[in-house]
Each structure stands twice: as C-alpha cells, then as structure tokens.
Amino acid sequence: MAKRTRRNHTPAFKAKVALAAVKGDKTLAELAQQFDVHPNQITTWRGQLLEGAAGVFGAAPSEGTPPPVDLKTLHAKIGELTLGNDFWKARSAKPAC
C-alpha cells in the first residue's frame, strides 16, 4: 500500500465537514468516504467546532489576556536604563588610573 502525502485542509473545508457531522444526516463512515478524510479527523473537527461555537457570539474574554501595561512606569525604566548605559559608556572611555 502506497503512503499518501500529507494534506493540509483549509479552514473552510474543515468547517464544511464539521457542520455536516453536526447535522447528523449521515454516519461518520459515510462522511469520511464522501470527503475522503479519516473518521477520527471528522470527530476532532466536530469537537473543535462545538468548543469554539460560543466565541462566535461574543463569549467573555479569556483568562489568557495580559493585564494592562502602565506606560509611565515603562518610560521611567527606559530613562533609568539609558542613563546607566550612558554612564558606563563614558566610564569605559576614560583610561584607568
């Protein structure tokens, strides 16, 4: 049996297959034969569709969002580091006693 080269499916194709699986008109085996993909792949795409469906309607922001950044603190730190760099550059340019 010859190996098949790896295929990359577009998001539109995945959505089409997952929606067909959610409808439930055909069995997984029938859908797999129709779309020429493995039934396990259809199950995975169906699960991803169902998990992400809430996001379509504006779900609450996820916990992974970073807290807001305080720009004044960052600008102060940048100024402090710049002064330190300038000091050490000037210091290294002078000959040692």
Side-chain angles (χ1 to χ4, degrees), residues 71-84:
L71 288 179
K72 287 185 179 183
T73 306
L74 290 177
H75 286 296
K77 187 66 174 177
I78 290 171
E80 181 183 329
L81 293 172
T82 302
L83 284 174

Side-chain angles (χ1 to χ4, degrees), residues 1-63:
M1 184 162 94
K3 287 189 174 184
R4 177 184 284 184
T5 59
R6 186 175 181 92
R7 297 181 295 170
N8 293 324
H9 299 290
T10 63
F13 177 77
K14 293 176 184 181
K16 180 180 172 182
V17 174
L19 283 173
V22 169
K23 284 182 186 177
D25 295 340
K26 296 182 178 181
T27 65
L28 279 178
E30 292 171 338
L31 291 173
Q33 186 176 20
Q34 178 184 349
F35 293 109
D36 193 29
V37 293
H38 197 276
N40 290 344
Q41 189 65 62
I42 295 174
T43 304
T44 302
W45 291 342
R46 179 181 174 271
Q48 290 174 350
L49 175 69
L50 294 176
E51 286 176 12
V56 173
F57 298 106
S62 65
E63 297 174 14

